[in-house]
Amino acid sequence: MIPGLKRLIPIVILLTVPVVGCHSLSKQNKAVTFWAMGQEGKHLETLLVKFARLHPEIPVKIQRIPWSSAHEKLLTAFAGQSTPDICQLGNTWIAEFESMGALTPLDSFVLGSPVVRSSNFFSGIWQTNVIHKKLYGIPWYVDTRVLFYRKDLLAKVGYRNPPTTWREWAEVSKRIKRASPPNEGNFANYFPLAHNNPYVPVILIMENEGRFLKKNKCYGAFEDPNTVKALQFYVDFFKNGWAPKNMSRVSNIYQGFQAGFFSMFISGPWDINEIRERVPSLRNKWGTAPMPKGKKSVSVAGGASLVIFKSSKRKSEAWKVIEFLSRSETQTDFFKLTRDLPAVRKAWSDSSILSDPQIRAFREQLETVQPTPKLAEWEQIASKMQEYLEKVIYGRMTLKQAVIDLDRDVDRILEKRRWLLSQNLLPE
């Protein structure tokens, strides 16, 4: 455990031995700049104290960035040629910044590293960083989505264990809805319909081995039969009254989970502590489980990676920082500070992680995670998919028509990609 250290400076921190005058300015000019977001940025100062002792010749200047403004700030920095040496990037942003030519390939660094090996990491997470057969990021922490469920409410309808297949999931949902008193109008599941949260249908398509795109990711493939079947399964939750359509009825998911307004939802590891802290009355009444199987149990590969910007003049020094953060003991310390799940497998052997019953499902699911399509347009496509699904859920369009129109819109979104490929301006 890293000893607790008093925070030095609130926003920008230079981790180095205190110095003064011209020597101090010299050190600041030599510092590796590191942009980090959210709570990771908050705790990075503490995490790097040990690095400062090991490498006093490499000062690190940390800048904390709110997640809400991180994307815009990074784009502005790239345009203004003022990107940092190292940055924390969400996995789905890697493809976008790679397409801009902003990132340094890290393959040669890994080849010469005694610390970083692809086999140390979960395969699906590692793959989110590989674009056009080159590596652009090192996983820092990981996440994925699993099933959160109320043990007591499932037990009332005859399920002492969470559903493990789509068939069981549908059956337990039907029983919960049937057992709900008419005047309460409870539901079995809660799936958010926000356009920026399309993870449930994305996971279901992956689980049913459906396709999102075809022909070198240049055209939409939502008319694929396996994709349509997965989307129909998703829509049926709303059609059958197993999930609420009206999102205004769920202003706070923790209160809804506590009240039994719904018994299951799909989310990430951040909600483990949220439930523990916000609704302690549910202690021993809830659990987590890997996603119920379609053709297989799969979930999305998430988390954040560490990248080195191409404009960095301190790439070797920046790599030493990344190597330090990739050590299993550093990853364990990081978990204890932030509760972020370790990207390095060996760190999971620590008792503080293994003894947590709600985290075990994530460990199992991480072995079967898959990256979403790695192209800059992906978030726009996923949002468009959710837009059409909402029309189907509210009865304004059939699913058959929705996938036809969705593929047409996706083809338009990918028009620039097709042109770049035709001009050999984009790798295959």
Coordinates of all heavy atoms in Angstrom, one line a residue, residues 18 38 46 129 164 213 231 238 251 279 290 304 353 403:
P18 N 12.2 19.1 -4.5 CA 12.1 20.6 -4.5 C 13.4 21.2 -4.9 O 14.5 20.9 -4.3 CB 11.7 21.0 -3.1 CG 11.0 19.8 -2.6 CD 11.7 18.6 -3.2
G38 N -10.6 12.5 -14.5 CA -11.4 12.0 -13.5 C -10.6 11.7 -12.2 O -9.6 12.3 -11.8
T46 N -0.1 10.6 -6.0 CA 0.3 9.6 -5.0 C 0.9 8.4 -5.6 O 1.9 7.9 -5.1 CB -1.0 9.2 -4.2 OG1 -1.6 10.4 -3.6 CG2 -0.6 8.3 -3.1
N129 N -6.3 -1.5 -28.5 CA -5.2 -0.6 -28.7 C -4.5 -0.8 -30.0 O -3.5 -0.1 -30.3 CB -4.2 -0.6 -27.6 CG -4.8 -0.2 -26.3 OD1 -4.9 1.0 -26.0 ND2 -5.3 -1.1 -25.5
T164 N -28.3 -17.5 -16.8 CA -27.0 -17.7 -17.5 C -27.2 -17.7 -19.0 O -26.2 -17.8 -19.8 CB -26.3 -19.0 -17.0 OG1 -27.3 -20.1 -17.3 CG2 -26.0 -18.9 -15.6
L213 N -20.7 -3.9 -39.2 CA -20.2 -3.4 -40.5 C -19.7 -4.5 -41.4 O -19.5 -5.6 -41.0 CB -19.0 -2.4 -40.2 CG -19.3 -1.3 -39.2 CD1 -18.0 -0.6 -38.8 CD2 -20.3 -0.3 -39.8
L231 N -31.2 -7.7 -31.9 CA -32.0 -6.5 -31.7 C -33.4 -6.8 -31.4 O -34.0 -6.1 -30.6 CB -31.9 -5.6 -32.9 CG -30.4 -5.0 -33.2 CD1 -30.4 -4.2 -34.5 CD2 -29.9 -4.2 -32.1
F238 N -38.8 -4.4 -23.9 CA -39.7 -3.2 -23.8 C -41.1 -3.6 -24.3 O -42.1 -3.2 -23.6 CB -39.2 -2.1 -24.7 CG -37.8 -1.6 -24.3 CD1 -36.7 -2.1 -24.9 CD2 -37.7 -0.6 -23.3 CE1 -35.4 -1.7 -24.5 CE2 -36.4 -0.2 -22.9 CZ -35.3 -0.7 -23.5
S251 N -35.2 8.3 -12.3 CA -34.4 9.5 -12.1 C -33.1 9.1 -11.4 O -32.1 9.8 -11.5 CB -35.1 10.6 -11.4 OG -35.5 10.1 -10.1
V279 N -26.9 2.7 -1.1 CA -28.0 1.9 -0.6 C -27.5 0.7 0.3 O -27.6 -0.4 -0.1 CB -28.9 1.4 -1.8 CG1 -29.8 2.5 -2.3 CG2 -28.1 0.8 -2.9
P290 N -21.7 -12.7 -14.9 CA -21.4 -12.5 -16.3 C -22.7 -12.4 -17.2 O -23.7 -12.9 -16.8 CB -20.6 -13.7 -16.7 CG -20.0 -14.2 -15.4 CD -21.1 -13.9 -14.4
A304 N -9.4 2.5 -19.9 CA -8.5 3.6 -20.4 C -7.1 3.1 -20.6 O -6.6 2.2 -19.9 CB -8.5 4.8 -19.5
I353 N -8.5 -7.9 -4.0 CA -9.4 -8.0 -5.2 C -10.1 -9.3 -5.2 O -11.3 -9.4 -5.4 CB -8.5 -7.8 -6.5 CG1 -7.7 -6.5 -6.5 CG2 -9.4 -7.9 -7.7 CD1 -6.8 -6.3 -7.6
V403 N -33.6 -1.3 -39.5 CA -32.2 -1.8 -39.9 C -31.9 -1.4 -41.3 O -30.7 -1.1 -41.7 CB -32.0 -3.3 -39.7 CG1 -32.1 -3.6 -38.2 CG2 -33.0 -4.1 -40.5

